[in-house]
Amino acid sequence: MKNKITKAILPVAGLGTRVMPLTLHQPKAMIGIVDRPVVHYVIDEMISAGIKEIILVISPRHSEFKKYISYLLRQDPAWRKIIFRVVTQKTPLGNGDAIFVARRFIKNEPFLVGFGDDLLADINPPLKQLTSLFHKIKAPILVLESVPKKLVSRYGVVKIKKAGVHRDIYQITDIIEKPSPEKAPSNLTVVGRYILTPKILEEIKKLYPTAKRGKELYLTDALKTYLRDVGKIYGWHFRGARFDCGSKIGILKAQAYFGTRHPEFKKEFKKYLKKINI
Ligand code: G1P
């Protein structure tokens, strides 16, 4: 198996019910943050990590992404170096299915997954840090963020033990999707960024009978059986800024963060924030 990460799956087919009515007329990943849609930031995160091929997983309702990519390919030379693939997720069966439908482009290589509603920012490009950690440990690795205990029920939550490789790297011993604060094994939650190996696809495949019973296929459930039957998974406690753009407050925080850093708008925006007593 290759060690270098060149491919990334970018699922953007989510319905965005938590941020309605923003998603009444546009997909969640097309919501604008300052002057670009969320998906643009995610693609730039991937490009900064040296990704060469991006597989977008879209819903059949959303043709906007193809138009957006063609537009950007004319504007941005860095985007022109990327191979873009677009795969349709026919039914909204969950994020495990979104990854599985992109499998034909993955072949036998480790790959990155970046959910189209999470944004990360740091002095060093976050996904570059993640890929170099993968090169060291050579096992699946997830990005983790600590959140106040009352918020854990929005995310996948991990049980960890020290890995002894690096201060912020843990070995994951269990993972639970959206537990109540009482049942959560920690307050370390999974951010929508993962480096996975092709073996995870076999674990996702095993979940399809549960989808027949009307349940969504969560990547978390495949990671759980991977931990039990296949091998080790690590977590990287990310200390930079993370925005959950699947929530209204996350979108608002991202606007403030990127707005106060935007080369064209930061000066005027900060002046305005002062004027309104912030
Ligand atoms: C998904 C994952 C969850 C993860 C989250 C990060 O949940 O299932 O484990 O913590 O992304 O954003 P969703 O946002 O699709 O509900």
Side-chain angles (χ1 to χ4, degrees):
M1 193 174 68
K2 259 172 67 176
N3 190 17
K4 203 161 185 280
I5 311 289
T6 59
K7 296 183 180 183
I9 301 180
L10 170 42
V12 285
L15 300 177
T17 38
R18 276 199 292 149
V19 293
M20 276 286 270
L22 285 173
T23 44
L24 197 58
H25 293 297
Q26 65 183 348
K28 190 167 45 167
M30 286 303 282
I31 291 171
I33 304 293
V34 191
D35 59 350
R36 287 167 288 161
V38 175
V39 67
H40 188 132
Y41 290 83
V42 182
I43 291 174
D44 282 345
E45 269 185 47
M46 291 173 168
I47 293 177
S48 306
I51 293 296
K52 305 278 181 252
E53 183 173 339
I54 298 178
I55 306 139
L56 271 106
V57 184
I58 66 167
S59 125
R61 297 194 302 180
H62 298 146
S63 55
E64 295 85 343
F65 293 106
K66 285 185 192 163
K67 279 190 216 149
Y68 192 77
I69 289 167
S70 328
Y71 167 76
L72 249 295
L73 286 176
R74 291 195 296 272
Q75 311 280 325
D76 189 329
W79 283 45
R80 274 201 290 278
K81 291 191 194 132
I82 305 296
I83 301 170
F84 284 99
R85 316 267 192 196
V86 178
V87 176
T88 306
Q89 185 184 18
K90 292 198 186 78
T91 25
L93 281 182
N95 53 35
D97 178 64
I99 294 165
F100 197 69
V101 297
R103 70 190 176 285
R104 70 173 187 276
F105 294 113
I106 294 302
K107 310 223 169 69
N108 194 30
E109 287 175 39
F111 56 97
L112 187 102
V113 173
F115 288 159
D117 57 2
D118 276 304
L119 293 184
L120 303 187
D122 201 1
I123 305 161
N124 298 320
L127 297 184
K128 200 169 172 196
Q129 297 184 57
L130 183 68
T131 50
S132 56
L133 287 169
F134 173 80
H135 293 144
K136 274 195 201 115
I137 59 176
K138 299 184 177 58
I141 179 164
L142 325 180
V143 180
L144 306 174
E145 186 198 28
S146 63
V147 304
K149 198 88 195 226
K150 62 176 193 289
L151 298 182
V152 289
S153 58
R154 294 184 187 174
Y155 305 110
V157 182
V158 293
K159 191 172 172 187
I160 50 158
K161 67 178 187 192
K162 283 218 170 85
V165 195
H166 176 289
R167 184 175 67 106
D168 288 332
I169 299 285
Y170 298 100
Q171 193 185 321
I172 293 175
T173 54
D174 198 8
I175 179 164
I176 304 161
E177 185 66 20
K178 302 187 173 67
S180 63
E182 300 74 44
K183 292 211 173 116
S186 73
N187 69 336
L188 276 179
T189 60
V190 179
V191 167
R193 301 286 184 271
Y194 311 72
I195 290 182
L196 302 171
T197 54
K199 280 214 164 87
I200 196 68
L201 299 169
E202 293 164 32
E203 299 309 306
I204 297 176
K205 195 173 173 191
K206 291 180 198 159
L207 297 174
Y208 277 88
T210 62
K212 283 203 190 101
R213 298 197 295 272
K215 276 183 70 186
E216 276 195 33
L217 301 184
Y218 277 111
L219 173 59
T220 299
D221 293 329
L223 291 169
K224 221 179 164 67
T225 61
Y226 186 102
L227 277 175
R228 194 190 60 204
D229 304 334
V230 186
K232 287 181 184 165
I233 299 179
Y234 292 85
W236 171 44
H237 187 177
F238 175 64
R239 312 270 180 174
R242 181 265 174 132
F243 305 98
D244 174 1
C245 294
S247 77
K248 290 179 183 172
I249 188 70
I251 294 169
L252 196 55
K253 286 180 185 172
Q255 301 282 9
Y257 183 94
F258 291 104
T260 50
R261 283 159 180 80
H262 192 287
E264 190 182 338
F265 308 123
K266 64 180 178 193
K267 215 166 147 205
E268 193 176 338
F269 187 44
K270 281 187 190 167
K271 211 163 134 192
Y272 178 71
L273 292 177
K274 249 194 205 134
K275 188 175 160 201
I276 59 170
N277 286 327
I278 293 171

